[in-house]
Amino acid sequence: MINHNSCGLCRIDIENLSVKSGSDILIDDINISLHCGELTALIGKNGAGKTTLLKAILGERQYSGKITFVSHTDGKIKRPSIGYVPQYMTFDKSTPVSVADFMIACKSNRPVWFGNKKEDIKKLEERLSALDCAHVINKRMGDLSGGELQRVMLTAALDPLPDLLILDEPVSGVDAAGLDLFYKTVTSIRDKYHISILLVSHDLGLIRKYADTVVLLDKTVVASGEIEDVFSTEAFKNAFGYLE
Amino acid sequence: MESIYSLMSVIPFEFMEYGFMKTALLAVILISPLFALLGTMAVNDKMAFFSDALGHSAFTGIAIGVILGLRNPVISMLAFAVILGLAITRVKESGTASTDTIISVFSSISIALGIVILSRNGGMSKYSAYLTGDILTITNGEIIAIAVVLVLFYIIWIKIYNKLLLVSINPSFSASRGINNRLMENIFVVMVAVSVMLSVKWIGILTINSLLILPAAAARNISLNSKQYHFYSLVIGLFSGIAGLIMSFYLDTSAGASMVLAAAVIYFITLSLKSKIR
């Protein structure tokens, strides 16, 4: 198994995770281990339960089972901290909230309608410039392009550095150059830090290029492991047809 | 209260010679900032229909008070509005129908039920004053109640605003940062319910929602960030409240409706400025 940092010992375990809605079982008995320094792609047909699984991990849905984080330094077990880059931004585009408002609201308890402190803005500018979007700091969130919004959300998701970074199909409305920059950043984060990355995507080409392991979901985990192994299973062919 | 009134006597206008106008002005100065604050988020969350439903629920609240034999229906109004608000968010969360539809259903039920109970034996005319409101019926005790709520809600707003903002932008993102989305929404809903119920008697069931929505909607047109949004909403809310009150004094019209008209004029002015500002 490929691992991109020297550790690979920190681990997020999802054990026997199930989600029910009334008497319907949405996802059933899911077991996945995510290691730090690894990018795991979560794939599956529409309705296979990817979103439900994410919502359970995010704590938005009730579930049975366990989600734990085991640190390599002290072996302590806790709930993982999560950074999340959403798929859609459904907020009202005319909302007067600037990028600075949003980012500072993530970090600070001082209400952003008091106005933002100069030193906070300066720090934020530095962080945003790492992803080539310092110029959007005073723009309204609703005025950003798809790529800018994605990089802003990634910057927010990485501060503070989470145990698990979830990228929810973060490609819609993003140009090729923006996408490239986004994944370069994600890759360098994977290589540098002790965090696990979970990518939900339909883009199998993208997964081939960037993912280390794949989990194929259809209500439960039907295949998982190295990319080519999963891509050659019957379950994969049933879900996606034959690959090129 | 006396010292506030004597202080207000220095305002050199004819309408200020009347005691009831002093009380009314004081009420407007207290209610407007409260509505301006909550309006910023009510508009954000596409919750405009929600406060409308709450306003309508006043009738059922009064009716419950009548049935229970309460002397002051404000308690039953508050209780019913809070329960209704929490029920709407609960149903909204389950995602079975679109939010607007759910709110319309609740809104229809709560106005119809109230009217059915209150109109029994032809007693409706007693309560029809609630439809348009009467700002001159405010008592000193009620002014104090609003002042307390205003201070309390500003403190809560300072505490929860950043979290509420993240919930309104993306609930999954806010959940990932450990924010309790449901708790935040419920706090907000209760704040709106309490504010609407405390002031619906003077502003009127038919117009109270506009007073909540219009200043914030106007401020949105000309704001780029949260600070400007709050500032403009407050200024526009205060200005239209005071202008509407003075207008109603000289034209002998309903104060609530006059305030709404003033706010609507400002809304269209800001709408025309929108393209210049952004």
Side-chain angles (χ1 to χ4, degrees), chain B residues 58-91:
Chain B
F59 267 145
T60 307
I62 298 163
I64 292 170
V66 169
I67 290 171
L68 295 177
L70 299 178
R71 199 181 299 159
N72 187 351
V74 81
I75 294 159
S76 55
M77 285 161 73
L78 275 174
F80 183 70
V82 167
I83 293 167
L84 181 77
L86 296 177
I88 291 175
T89 40
R90 196 66 195 263
V91 176

Side-chain angles (χ1 to χ4, degrees), chain B residues 44-59:
Chain B
N44 253 357
D45 256 356
K46 297 179 194 158
M47 294 276 275
F49 289 112
F50 170 76
S51 44
D52 205 29
L54 278 181
H56 289 168
S57 80
F59 267 145

Side-chain angles (χ1 to χ4, degrees), chain A residues 55 58-60 81-98 101-102 104-116 138-141 143 153 156-160, chain B residues 37 40 43-46 153-155 157-163 165-166 168-179 181 216 219-231 274 277-278:
Chain A
K55 291 209 162 182
L58 288 168
E60 269 194 285
S81 62
I82 294 166
Y84 176 66
V85 180
Q87 174 180 18
Y88 301 111
M89 297 297 282
T90 48
F91 69 94
D92 191 334
K93 296 285 182 271
S94 64
T95 303
V97 49
S98 67
D101 287 341
F102 169 73
I104 290 169
C106 291
K107 292 283 287 178
S108 160
N109 281 323
R110 184 176 183 268
V112 290
W113 55 275
F114 278 16
N116 298 316
N138 290 318
K139 276 197 188 179
R140 287 159 62 132
M141 290 284 281
D143 293 339
M153 294 308 287
L158 289 172
D159 186 27
Chain B
L37 198 71
T40 58
V43 182
N44 253 357
D45 256 356
K46 297 179 194 158
F153 281 14
Y154 262 81
I155 293 170
W157 204 244
I158 287 168
K159 291 272 176 215
I160 70 164
Y161 183 76
N162 286 2
K163 295 189 174 88
L165 180 69
L166 297 186
S168 79
I169 288 176
N170 190 295
S172 297
F173 180 82
S174 60
S176 79
R177 302 195 80 94
I179 293 169
N181 292 352
R220 260 167 117 74
N221 288 332
I222 51 170
S223 311
L224 295 170
N225 55 47
S226 298
K227 187 181 180 184
Q228 291 175 356
Y229 190 23
H230 277 74
F231 177 74
K274 191 176 180 176
I277 279 158
R278 277 195 274 153

Side-chain angles (χ1 to χ4, degrees), chain B:
Chain B
M1 292 302 283
E2 282 311 313
S3 55
I4 296 174
Y5 286 138
S6 58
L7 200 68
M8 288 173 88
S9 307
V10 300
I11 304 172
F13 288 108
E14 186 201 333
F15 64 87
M16 287 308 293
E17 287 164 16
Y18 300 91
F20 61 85
M21 281 301 281
K22 282 182 196 163
T23 318
L25 182 64
L26 200 55
V28 168
I29 290 171
L30 293 170
I31 294 172
S32 302
L34 189 60
F35 274 44
L37 198 71
L38 297 171
T40 58
M41 199 49 83
V43 182
N44 253 357
D45 256 356
K46 297 179 194 158
M47 294 276 275
F49 289 112
F50 170 76
S51 44
D52 205 29
L54 278 181
H56 289 168
S57 80
F59 267 145
T60 307
I62 298 163
I64 292 170
V66 169
I67 290 171
L68 295 177
L70 299 178
R71 199 181 299 159
N72 187 351
V74 81
I75 294 159
S76 55
M77 285 161 73
L78 275 174
F80 183 70
V82 167
I83 293 167
L84 181 77
L86 296 177
I88 291 175
T89 40
R90 196 66 195 263
V91 176
K92 193 185 94 180
E93 238 170 44
S94 70
T96 43
S98 85
T99 311
D100 293 357
T101 314
I102 293 164
I103 293 172
S104 304
V105 170
F106 278 101
S107 177
S108 317
I109 295 172
S110 63
I111 196 162
L113 182 65
I115 292 174
V116 164
I117 298 171
L118 293 177
S119 62
R120 222 173 24 156
N121 308 325
M124 188 65 201
S125 57
K126 249 193 289 178
Y127 305 102
S128 55
Y130 273 89
L131 283 174
T132 50
D134 187 355
I135 202 149
L136 304 182
T137 60
I138 292 187
T139 64
N140 284 347
E142 288 163 334
I143 296 258
I144 291 167
I146 296 178
V148 170
V149 167
L150 178 71
V151 171
L152 186 68
F153 281 14
Y154 262 81
I155 293 170
I156 297 175
W157 204 244
I158 287 168
K159 291 272 176 215
I160 70 164
Y161 183 76
N162 286 2
K163 295 189 174 88
L164 203 55
L165 180 69
L166 297 186
V167 176
S168 79
I169 288 176
N170 190 295
S172 297
F173 180 82
S174 60
S176 79
R177 302 195 80 94
I179 293 169
N180 185 337
N181 292 352
R182 180 183 281 179
L183 178 67
M184 288 302 135
E185 284 198 326
N186 285 345
I187 292 174
F188 176 66
V189 160
V190 170
M191 287 171 85
V192 174
V194 170
S195 308
V196 167
M197 285 308 128
L198 280 184
S199 41
V200 72
K201 197 174 125 199
W202 319 302
I203 308 294
I205 288 172
L206 294 175
T207 41
I208 194 151
N209 189 44
S210 320
L211 216 59
L212 185 68
I213 300 305
L214 276 174
R220 260 167 117 74
N221 288 332
I222 51 170
S223 311
L224 295 170
N225 55 47
S226 298
K227 187 181 180 184
Q228 291 175 356
Y229 190 23
H230 277 74
F231 177 74
Y232 288 134
S233 182
L234 181 71
V235 170
I236 293 167
L238 264 178
F239 178 82
S240 48
I242 295 170
L245 181 68
I246 295 172
M247 203 163 88
S248 76
F249 175 78
Y250 287 108
L251 300 176
D252 196 16
T253 51
S254 148
S258 309
M259 290 173 199
V260 170
L261 275 189
V265 169
I266 298 173
Y267 176 80
F268 284 107
I269 293 170
T270 59
L271 195 62
S272 68
L273 295 173
K274 191 176 180 176
S275 55
K276 290 185 190 116
I277 279 158
R278 277 195 274 153

